Amino acid sequence: MKIRFPLPVSRDARVALLAPASPLSNAGELPSVVAAASSFGFRVKEFPSLTRRLDYVAGTGVQRAADLTKAFTDPKLEAVFCLRGGYGTAHTLPHLDFKALGATRRMFAGYSDLTALLNPLATLGGLVGLHAPTMNFFQRDDEPTRISRAIFEKFLFEPIGALSYREAAGASFVPVTIRKGVAEGRLLGGNLSVFASLIGTPYEPRGKDIVLFIEEIGEKAYRLDRMLTQVIQSGFMNRVVGVVIGHLTDCGPAGNDTDDALTVVKRVLDPLRIPTLAGFPAGHERPSFPLPIGATVRLDATRGDLHIIGA
């Protein structure tokens, strides 16, 4: 399937704000998140999922999928942004027409649980989406958030093109070469636990020559081992030519375990003998840089860089 970049967003665009996964943490959160989205210059259209709650999700899967479909297909909207990650995006997948969503070339951005949507949007819908912070991330105004915002705006307002992350990120990117080498392929992945949950479903990414990005938060190191081992034993990693490791936040050893998260991930991936680079500034820490899921990239784990080549 041909994969295309989304269309750039206008500075004063009308955009969608919705909740495909978890609901508001409290009633007072919504005005702050809307203000964060508006601070980009956007005119925000609020969708019903923002104020729905079904226990730990923002309404039924059908309701949240309906919001996504309306947001993508409304010709007056230029982008679709999410309140937060959390859990529940997977409920929406059977109710989405990915080809129809992809045909809109609408800008979509999200991370964490939105990994479940970003990957099939690319591989089934033919549309690159941005693995980038959700709008609740931008409620803060500190230097790491401002760095995140500046590169996010570049991806939003300008056509996505060739880019060296080493050059773009500067001091924010401190690469750690796990295994040297160069690999070129389609960038897929996101949050590891969510990505692993796609394996064996109709939404597991197909194709070959995949550069896999992973990040995680709040999982003990041995659980990273378990998730990666499952992905490897499924056969998926036979199609992966390189790995990029982002933030591994609060993923320390459990109990009497001794090895940190990166040591564990390195040990599990080592038998694959493919180029692997850690230290990429993306995930649940600040700054966090956007990644175009579905784009063609070149990973240079020897020099410590990731290049966007094209769609």
Side-chain angles (χ1 to χ4, degrees):
M1 171 178 284
K2 179 179 176 59
I3 296 183
R4 298 185 294 176
F5 284 128
L7 298 173
V9 182
S10 305
R11 290 276 175 176
D12 62 347
R14 187 158 174 77
V15 303
L17 182 64
L18 40 70
S22 290
L24 289 167
S25 58
N26 59 73
E29 183 184 17
L30 183 56
S32 177
V33 177
V34 171
S38 300
S39 70
F40 286 87
F42 299 139
R43 292 168 291 138
V44 179
K45 179 176 180 179
E46 300 174 35
F47 276 72
S49 55
L50 289 172
T51 52
R52 287 194 181 112
R53 174 181 284 274
L54 178 60
D55 199 3
Y56 44 80
V57 291
T60 67
V62 171
Q63 289 172 327
R64 286 174 281 133
D67 274 9
L68 282 165
T69 299
K70 290 175 184 176
F72 268 89
T73 57
D74 185 337
K76 296 179 181 179
L77 301 177
E78 295 185 33
V80 181
F81 298 120
C82 303
L83 168 71
R84 61 162 16 94
Y87 172 70
T89 305
H91 299 153
T92 70
L93 304 183
H95 310 292
L96 296 173
D97 181 340
F98 285 100
K99 288 185 178 179
L101 300 188
T104 67
R105 297 189 67 189
R106 196 73 70 241
M107 180 70 73
F108 175 77
Y111 71 162
S112 195
D113 195 64
L114 284 310
T115 296
L117 182 56
L118 285 165
N119 286 273
L121 183 63
T123 58
L124 299 179
L127 181 64
V128 170
L130 292 184
H131 180 282
T134 49
M135 282 298 151
N136 64 334
F137 179 97
F138 294 104
Q139 294 175 93
R140 280 171 44 178
D141 183 24
D142 51 29
E143 185 61 21
T145 305
R146 287 192 287 271
I147 293 171
S148 306
R149 181 188 180 106
I151 188 68
F152 187 39
E153 289 184 344
K154 177 179 177 64
F155 276 80
L156 291 177
F157 299 133
E158 302 175 17
I160 300 174
L163 176 78
S164 159
Y165 277 95
R166 186 92 179 256
E167 294 177 3
S172 300
F173 186 7
V174 182
V176 178
T177 297
I178 303 300
R179 181 173 289 277
K180 294 180 180 180
V182 177
E184 186 173 313
R186 195 159 300 286
L187 181 67
L188 296 171
N191 179 264
L192 175 58
S193 57
V194 178
F195 187 82
S197 74
L198 295 176
I199 301 298
T201 74
Y203 314 104
E204 173 186 336
R206 308 298 173 182
K208 58 182 181 178
D209 295 335
I210 294 166
V211 175
L212 180 65
F213 165 73
I214 58 172
E215 63 86 25
E216 192 52 85
I217 182 171
E219 298 285 356
K220 295 299 183 183
Y222 79 89
R223 295 175 185 164
L224 304 183
D225 181 330
R226 180 179 63 202
M227 290 182 279
L228 281 171
T229 297
Q230 187 245 329
V231 175
I232 292 169
Q233 292 180 350
S234 75
F236 178 83
M237 296 299 290
N238 295 335
R239 299 183 277 124
V240 173
V241 296
V243 178
V244 180
I245 303 168
H247 301 147
L248 301 175
T249 306
D250 297 332
C251 293
N256 294 323
D257 300 348
T258 58
D259 290 342
D260 63 26
L262 186 56
T263 300
V264 170
V265 170
K266 178 181 177 181
R267 183 166 64 231
V268 176
L269 293 177
D270 188 64
L272 302 179
R273 304 186 69 80
I274 56 177
T276 303
L277 185 68
F280 194 87
H284 285 77
E285 299 175 25
R286 299 166 194 258
S288 184
F289 281 63
L291 283 165
I293 299 298
T296 301
V297 298
R298 182 175 183 267
L299 168 63
D300 187 338
T302 303
R303 298 186 61 188
D305 202 355
L306 182 70
H307 301 260
I308 300 173
I309 298 175

